[in-house]
Amino acid sequence: MIKPFVFLLCVAAGSVLHAQYSYMDVGVMRMNYKNKGPFKDAWWPGVSIQFAEFQFSRYAGEVSVRDTSSNIPTDWKPHGTYWNVGFVHSFTKFYIRKNHADKRPILTPSLGFGLGNWRTHAGGSVFSLSLSGAAAINILPGISLTAGAETGINFKGLFGVDYGPSDPFVNNVQSAFPRFYFNPKFGIRFYYDFKKALGKDITEYVEPGWRTSYTVSNGWRYYRNYWDKGGTVTKVITTKEIITFAPTLFFPRAYDGVAVTKAAGAKLTLRYGIFASDLQYMKGKIGFHLDDGSFAGSTQQQCYWDYEGISASLGINVFSLRAAFKSPSIIRFVLGKRFGVANISSHYRGPNTHILPPEFSGKNLKTNHFYMAAELGRFGLSWDFMKNPERKYEVTGGLLAAYYMIPLVKRKE
């Protein structure tokens, strides 16, 4: 029973890959809080990825507090995050009609709905129901400018703690969130047709014959014999794009106790069979938290590194385990480690910096850390668990990055 199911799943995935408009948006969203609430409106950076009409969005950043006359430190700002998972349909019937080779959308409207969560400074909605709409205008092959909005309803239970008068910085956090919200967003879209990236599917022939399956009910195991017609089963849907160049953006973790991450970079990637290898450069400001002693997890400290580094990585694509030394799958989940060198300078912000260790600064430090990544064709999200190699209690707890892989070398058919 398993093999027919795998076959149907792969056929469905293959038809989706051949038919759907897929993209990654990188941009900002305007978070509109209540006018009389404790927080000011803010622009948050983020990313949206659509694959087969399934969309995941995440935006995060910091906000300013309206009342600065209390005991709030001048260099402290609460953090927040907004994420949404849902269905979005893109209307791709508006094309430049020159010839088939140059046929690409000039205007792509989209409509959808989703379920998500919006929180700031340990308070927010349990979840939100949202409607989204956007329009993308093509400026170059594979690149568009986008504008749109997400609007919906916040359901106000507690996804965290509803702080009251005991909050050291902000009273009544929940009063900041509107029940009905309208958040505009703008960005740059990278899109492509999966048909141009697909390689040959790796297949396997299953001999006809009798098979046995079983089920368990009330502690009893029941067996059933059935006839399997056999046939060709698709094992891995592959890509022919082997080496790529990937611009990379790093986004905030968005919780109190770290400063906001503002970093970028680029990498050369190799994807072949089970192997996933990168050569990556990154530079910018990376927020981290202190994981040591009495100040562990303190929301009053907002620390960051000035960071510049280069690293090489080796990872394993778990989706290619059944075809370890053949073409890479187009859907990948990578686990691995990065090794490199970096210049790191620590900065502590907050009311209690006098009790913290001296700020650290080091050049050409050897680094290594674990990472994981999820990739759909050319789109990727990675999660790097970075530490200061000299100060083990300075940790990111996970650094989120989004990247788009531009092919440089393709496998010949």
Side-chain angles (χ1 to χ4, degrees), residues 33-39 66 172 175-176:
Y33 294 92
K34 281 187 176 180
N35 292 333
K36 295 183 180 180
F39 302 140
R66 293 184 185 277
N172 195 8
S175 67

Side-chain angles (χ1 to χ4, degrees), residues 29-65:
M29 178 182 288
R30 176 78 171 182
M31 310 307 297
N32 292 315
Y33 294 92
K34 281 187 176 180
N35 292 333
K36 295 183 180 180
F39 302 140
K40 297 180 181 179
D41 297 346
W43 289 99
W44 286 355
V47 61
S48 296
I49 294 179
Q50 177 175 320
F51 175 74
E53 299 193 331
F54 170 84
Q55 187 184 78
F56 168 75
S57 299
R58 182 188 182 276
Y59 293 81
E62 62 185 13
V63 299
S64 297
V65 181

